[in-house]
Amino acid sequence: MKEFLFTSESVTEGHPDKVADQISDAILDEHISKDPLSRVAVETLVSMGFVIIAGEVTSSARVDYAEVARKVIKEIGYDSPEKGFDAETAGILTSIHRQSEDIAIGVLKGGAGDQGMMFGFATNENEQYMPSPIVFAHSITRKLAEVRKKGITNFILPDGKSQVTVLYRDDRPAEIKEVVVSTQHTADVKQEELREFVIEEVVKKALPQNLLKNPVYHINPTGSFLKGGPAADTGLTGRKIIVDTYGGFARHGGGAFSGKDPSKVDRSATYYARYVAKNLVAAGVADKLELQVSYAIGEENPLGIFVETFGTEKIPNERIKEIIEKLFDFRPNAMIDQLQLRRPIYRKTASYGHFGRNEEGFTWEELNMVERIKELM
């Protein structure tokens, strides 16, 4: 049997990079909720005691950026100096100007806002149609947030990371071999107590028991993790793009998502490529499929659509390409309309991954094209 190991990581919503992503997407949501045609490209930087928000916005909406940022920071859980960051006292600096007219010309006529290539991926190894290592890593960080916010424990703090190594046999997850969890905590908890809690109440309740045969646990490997969040590490929008997508299991075009309105194909085309790949795999076209689409700035139609099935295709690749061209429209405005992307849905995408989540607003995860695909197979 063919065997290999693969590792993916996730970070909690209190990780500095994710704090930045959430602020950027919350600002996007505020603009879109008031003006759905807003064009937004906002970057956020967070560090000890301050936030910098910068970027380009063309919108009829008036948004209090500082108020949005403070609300996000507080909801994450940074509400006192003892946690390393305080929503009430953090200094906030903004530098926002209008979108370049050169870029706007292409966007207003329905073209792509920039050149670039985007990827979508799906695999039938689980019900999420996602690589298992990233699914498992997100499950752990979600559980860390849950036990903290529900008051199940009072010693877990907002910053944290997870990493899961999975053994594959014949392209199917067979066993979880290594689990790494690093979580910020209060000073009064003993390391033995923290380790036992994380293993028993977080990891074992987040991961499938049938795959936890004899894993090696690495819980806070350096020992204490008292200083966390922006006080310990500068955070920046768009610095966790592999966490956001497929955990490194599939390729990434390089463009980040957070803070960008859907006219940016970095976001909309990546969402749409995932939508197409997932529906194709769910229809039985292939067990595993990766799709690449590329654009030139200002042009409406993509330059090319390329499909890789890794030898798992059930019909010829040429036929798969014909099905894609017949059923799916990769023009920017068509993608936006089909996936209903001009809605304030983005803040919740900014932590725990953009894909594999069957939640309200995640229209790119819907399997509503499966029967039409099957009719053409």
Side-chain angles (χ1 to χ4, degrees):
M1 292 187 292
K2 177 186 175 184
E3 291 189 354
F4 66 92
L5 295 168
F6 199 89
T7 302
S8 293
E9 73 160 347
S10 177
V11 298
T12 65
E13 62 205 63
H15 185 282
D17 292 331
K18 279 294 151 199
V19 174
D21 282 344
Q22 290 170 87
I23 291 171
S24 292
D25 270 339
I27 289 170
L28 171 62
D29 280 348
E30 281 295 309
H31 275 288
I32 287 183
S33 67
K34 299 171 182 176
D35 176 8
L37 296 179
S38 295
R39 300 195 300 280
V40 179
V42 171
E43 318 289 342
T44 302
L45 180 147
V46 296
S47 192
M48 182 180 288
F50 71 90
V51 178
I52 297 176
I53 301 167
E56 302 80 50
V57 174
T58 301
S59 174
S60 63
R62 299 289 297 272
V63 173
D64 186 331
Y65 299 119
E67 181 182 352
V68 172
R70 294 190 195 283
K71 181 180 179 182
V72 170
I73 295 165
K74 187 173 183 178
E75 288 176 351
I76 290 170
Y78 288 117
D79 52 11
S80 70
E82 291 74 24
K83 296 178 182 178
F85 205 52
D86 186 357
E88 296 300 323
T89 61
I92 298 178
L93 176 67
T94 63
S95 177
I96 303 292
H97 55 275
R98 290 177 62 85
Q99 183 183 59
S100 162
E101 293 302 321
D102 295 334
I103 296 174
I105 290 171
V107 173
L108 292 174
K109 69 178 185 179
D114 202 352
Q115 68 179 45
M117 65 283 188
M118 298 82 203
F119 290 90
F121 179 80
T123 171
N124 63 6
E125 67 186 63
N126 52 46
E127 64 182 12
Q128 292 94 345
Y129 292 89
M130 288 285 287
S132 294
I134 189 65
V135 171
F136 298 157
H138 285 322
S139 293
I140 291 172
T141 51
R142 276 181 173 272
K143 182 61 73 172
L144 278 174
E146 180 184 320
V147 299
R148 173 175 62 87
K149 290 187 170 184
K150 288 186 176 180
I152 296 172
T153 177
N154 60 4
F155 54 75
I156 299 291
L157 295 178
D159 197 358
K161 305 175 84 170
S162 71
Q163 184 173 287
V164 180
T165 301
V166 176
L167 171 67
Y168 278 78
R169 292 195 182 102
D170 289 339
D171 280 335
R172 285 291 183 265
E175 185 178 350
I176 295 171
K177 301 295 286 185
E178 310 270 349
V179 177
V180 182
V181 181
S182 295
T183 180
Q184 184 189 10
H185 59 84
T186 59
D188 57 348
V189 63
K190 295 180 179 180
Q191 292 301 308
E192 297 80 5
E193 180 186 359
L194 176 70
R195 175 182 171 83
E196 181 180 1
F197 180 87
V198 169
I199 292 173
E200 297 299 327
E201 299 300 324
V202 176
V203 176
K204 289 185 177 180
K205 291 186 178 180
L207 302 184
Q209 293 298 308
N210 64 311
L211 297 183
L212 286 173
K213 298 173 183 179
N214 189 29
V216 177
Y217 294 108
H218 309 266
I219 310 301
N220 281 21
T222 62
S224 64
F225 183 177
L226 298 175
K227 189 176 182 180
D233 187 15
T234 297
L236 188 65
T237 297
R239 207 157 56 180
K240 285 292 177 285
I241 57 177
I242 301 304
V243 171
D244 286 342
T245 52
Y246 306 102
F249 208 94
R251 284 170 283 198
H252 194 296
F257 307 144
S258 290
K260 296 179 181 178
D261 76 86
S263 74
K264 279 71 173 174
V265 286
D266 276 341
R267 187 164 215 160
S268 54
T270 303
Y271 286 2
Y272 199 71
R274 161 65 177 174
Y275 172 67
V276 174
K278 183 177 180 181
N279 275 269
L280 288 168
V281 170
V285 163
D287 294 332
K288 185 165 52 175
L289 186 146
E290 184 182 70
L291 184 148
Q292 185 203 59
V293 58
S294 58
Y295 292 87
I297 187 169
E299 295 190 13
E300 189 175 33
N301 292 305
L303 304 183
I305 299 172
F306 311 98
V307 177
E308 171 63 68
T309 54
F310 310 95
T312 69
E313 69 276 5
K314 311 305 178 185
I315 60 176
N317 277 1
E318 295 76 15
R319 184 59 185 154
I320 297 174
K321 181 74 177 297
E322 290 172 358
I323 291 172
I324 292 171
E325 290 176 347
K326 185 174 181 63
L327 295 182
F328 299 98
D329 190 342
F330 280 84
R331 294 175 299 164
N333 283 341
M335 295 187 296
I336 291 169
D337 289 343
Q338 185 168 358
L339 297 183
Q340 305 169 58
L341 297 180
R342 296 197 187 279
R343 296 180 297 151
I345 58 174
Y346 297 105
R347 159 78 190 281
K348 60 185 175 183
T349 69
S351 50
Y352 312 117
H354 294 245
F355 306 126
R357 299 167 61 177
N358 295 319
E359 303 171 28
E360 184 180 356
F362 288 70
T363 52
W364 49 94
E365 295 295 320
E366 294 177 359
L367 293 174
N368 53 11
M369 295 294 287
V370 171
E371 294 307 316
R372 294 186 64 185
I373 293 169
K374 287 180 177 179
E375 291 171 2
L376 298 177
M377 288 175 63

